[in-house]
Amino acid sequence: VMGIDRDYAVAFAKSQIGAGNKLPLKGTVFVSLRDADKENVVEAMRDLSALGFRIVATRGTLRTLARHGIACEQVNKVLEGRPHIVDLMKNGDVQLVFNTTDGAKALADSKDIRRTALLNHIPYYTTLAGAIAVTKAIKAMKANTLKVSPLQRYAGQAA
């Protein structure tokens, strides 16, 4: 699919809509990031919190977010026992997932999360760039800046 607009956030939102990803405008976001990504997601999490999203995170990610003054709640990884993140997802308590991994073990551990997100149509982003882009897209959608224009307008021709 393709999303086109003069604004990157709006174009990304359009691409997600075109791909069938229903981006949430409210609800809960689950965040579990590899160490290299934790500091770089702080601004996006601050934005989502300001938009009214509840944030749940695994222990390590929570520590980073809390250190930056971002309110969030801890949720167990699947291997840490119940209730865990997959339980929350299956119960409809999570509307957006940011999960980056580092190494084969972490990738295997996130298998149940990926499967549950897919089966429950929960938008799931596995890169820091994706998490930041979708945060900007949600901000644009909440600001009601998505407009439809003919393709010729983007090519510089009169419609």
Side-chain angles (χ1 to χ4, degrees), residues 24-66:
L25 300 181
K26 61 181 180 178
T28 300
V29 57
F30 165 67
V31 188
S32 181
L33 304 175
R34 65 188 185 136
D35 288 340
D37 294 336
K38 289 176 183 169
E39 290 293 329
N40 296 316
V41 82
V42 169
E43 183 179 340
M45 296 291 77
R46 190 172 282 124
D47 288 345
L48 287 173
S49 181
L51 291 171
F53 280 82
R54 172 181 167 230
I55 300 170
V56 296
T58 52
R59 187 174 290 114
T61 302
L62 179 137
R63 278 194 299 267
T64 299
L65 297 177

Side-chain angles (χ1 to χ4, degrees), residues 79-90:
L79 298 176
E80 292 175 335
R82 291 195 139 126
H84 52 61
I85 182 53
V86 170
D87 294 328
L88 290 180
M89 293 169 70
K90 286 181 178 178

